[in-house]
Amino acid sequence: MEHPDIKEVADLIRQADELREKIDERIHHVLTADDMPANRVAALAAVTDRDRSSLYEARDRVADRLAKHTAALRIAVARLDPEALSKFDAHWTESMAQARDEFSLLPGRHFIDHWWAWVAIHRRPERAARFRDCEQIVATSEDRAARRAASAELGRILADAEADAA
């Protein structure tokens, strides 16, 4: 499978975001017009929700085309959560130092796999929120059954996210 140039993919994602913003502005303008009949507002809102959903799905398909390498992952992390970029960079530095020390490619491979899964989870805000909730339960709950259930759900979320990203 041939992967597109990272700059090309980043440009496509930027263009999709700009288009989404224009659509949202137009939707807001039309829906807030005083002379719009209520039934037309409801019909328009339903159509725009469907169109907006299609736009988001198209954006995700473009994001799915990202190659599984550091530069593409860095772009994705920066777009999804700019605050996580410092963790990404620190983890990269640590992984490369470990790879040099051990004369092994495994630390780099683990780095890529970790951040690939992170991006797959965080591309869907509701999935990321549930993942954080389960992590919190596992870390703090005193109820063993709740920890086990949350741990199992973490595994399912990871498997689903990785399947979506593959």
Side-chain angles (χ1 to χ4, degrees), residues 116-125 127-129 131 154 157-158 161:
W116 182 259
W118 187 95
V119 167
I121 289 168
H122 287 80
R123 274 191 14 221
R124 306 262 189 268
R127 180 187 288 167
F131 192 81
L154 284 170
I157 292 169
L158 271 170

Side-chain angles (χ1 to χ4, degrees), residues 15-16 21 24 26 52 56-57 60 66 71 89 91 107-109 119 143 148-149 152 161:
Q15 290 170 4
E21 288 174 16
D24 286 345
R26 288 185 182 166
R52 191 178 302 148
Y56 294 152
E57 289 171 14
D60 285 343
L66 286 173
D89 291 337
H91 190 190
R109 187 176 196 173
V119 167
D143 181 3
R148 282 186 173 200

Side-chain angles (χ1 to χ4, degrees), residues 17-128:
D17 285 343
E18 289 172 359
L19 180 59
R20 188 192 79 236
E21 288 174 16
K22 286 180 184 177
I23 289 171
D24 286 345
E25 286 173 14
R26 288 185 182 166
I27 290 168
H28 179 72
H29 176 72
V30 169
L31 293 179
T32 57
D34 292 332
D35 58 346
M36 177 79 65
N39 62 344
R40 174 130 180 183
V41 169
L44 185 59
V47 169
T48 54
D49 285 344
R50 186 186 69 233
D51 292 342
R52 191 178 302 148
S53 175
S54 297
L55 179 63
Y56 294 152
E57 289 171 14
R59 180 176 180 261
D60 285 343
R61 283 194 303 274
V62 169
D64 286 342
R65 291 175 45 198
L66 286 173
K68 194 174 182 179
H69 55 75
T70 308
L73 289 172
R74 191 171 198 289
I75 290 170
V77 169
R79 295 188 58 69
L80 292 168
D81 185 2
E83 293 177 9
L85 208 49
S86 61
K87 290 179 187 174
F88 178 91
D89 291 337
H91 190 190
W92 172 249
T93 302
E94 178 184 312
S95 296
M96 292 304 96
Q98 182 181 0
R100 280 190 303 276
D101 292 346
E102 297 174 2
F103 299 102
S104 173
L105 297 176
L106 287 178
R109 187 176 196 173
H110 291 300
F111 170 85
I112 294 290
D113 289 343
H114 169 82
W115 287 99
W116 182 259
W118 187 95
V119 167
I121 289 168
H122 287 80
R123 274 191 14 221
R124 306 262 189 268
E126 67 283 349
R127 180 187 288 167

Side-chain angles (χ1 to χ4, degrees), residues 132-145:
R132 283 188 299 273
D133 292 344
C134 289
E135 284 180 319
Q136 186 68 22
I137 292 168
V138 169
T140 62
S141 178
E142 300 208 11
D143 181 3
R144 185 175 183 197

